[in-house]
Amino acid sequence: MRDTLVSITKGGATIDATALGTSGLQSTTGLNAKLKLDYRPTASDSAQITLTRTDKRLTPQGYVGAINIVNLGYRHQLRPELTAVATVLDLFDGQRFQRFSSSPTFTQEYRRTVRGRILYVGLVYSFGTTRKDKPQSFEYDQPG
């Protein structure tokens, strides 16, 4: 009996799952990426957009589909210790998880979708720090 083999090759991932009843090697290539763009129109305002892409991944019986997520955020400094923040997570509703599995004895398609976008609006008040101590970069796609 052969073990399931998963290896990373120059062209992507290759899987040999003949021990599980599938025939031959399966391989894929793809692009996983994270892109972040910051824009500061004024000294008190900043905006950020992030794009996260996780490409299709092989499993021994099939694959997991690609996921694309875009987040958008805006920050306005009201006073040195007070900041207003607004963030939209999953702007284009791309957070879908799809898994397809197939073997000689079964076929399965599993889908999970997060419905709707999430909007965070809030105020951040800083205690005991001066403006020069505050970090200049802010990650809008990380709630909290």
Side-chain angles (χ1 to χ4, degrees), residues 73-132:
Y74 188 79
R75 180 178 77 168
H76 178 73
Q77 191 79 37
L78 300 169
R79 296 192 314 228
E81 70 281 350
L82 186 63
T83 305
V85 178
T87 304
V88 179
L89 300 179
D90 199 14
L91 186 63
F92 299 115
D93 200 23
Q95 193 169 344
R96 294 181 181 91
F97 180 83
Q98 179 182 5
R99 181 179 62 220
F100 180 77
S101 301
S102 181
S103 76
T105 58
F106 77 94
T107 298
Q108 176 190 38
E109 185 172 351
Y110 171 80
R111 291 181 187 207
R112 184 183 70 209
T113 303
V114 177
R115 299 277 183 202
R117 291 152 198 89
I118 299 173
L119 173 65
Y120 291 101
V121 177
L123 296 172
V124 178
Y125 187 83
S126 299
F127 295 95
T129 59
T130 63
R131 185 176 176 104
K132 67 179 182 177

Side-chain angles (χ1 to χ4, degrees), residues 8 11-15 26-33 52-59 61-68 96-101:
I8 303 299
T14 303
I15 293 182
Q26 295 180 8
S27 67
T28 187
T29 58
L31 176 67
N32 295 323
T52 305
R53 171 159 175 89
T54 305
D55 209 345
K56 178 179 167 180
R57 298 174 313 268
L58 289 177
T59 64
Q61 293 93 3
Y63 64 88
V64 175
I67 299 172
N68 298 300
R96 294 181 181 91
F97 180 83
Q98 179 182 5
R99 181 179 62 220
F100 180 77
S101 301

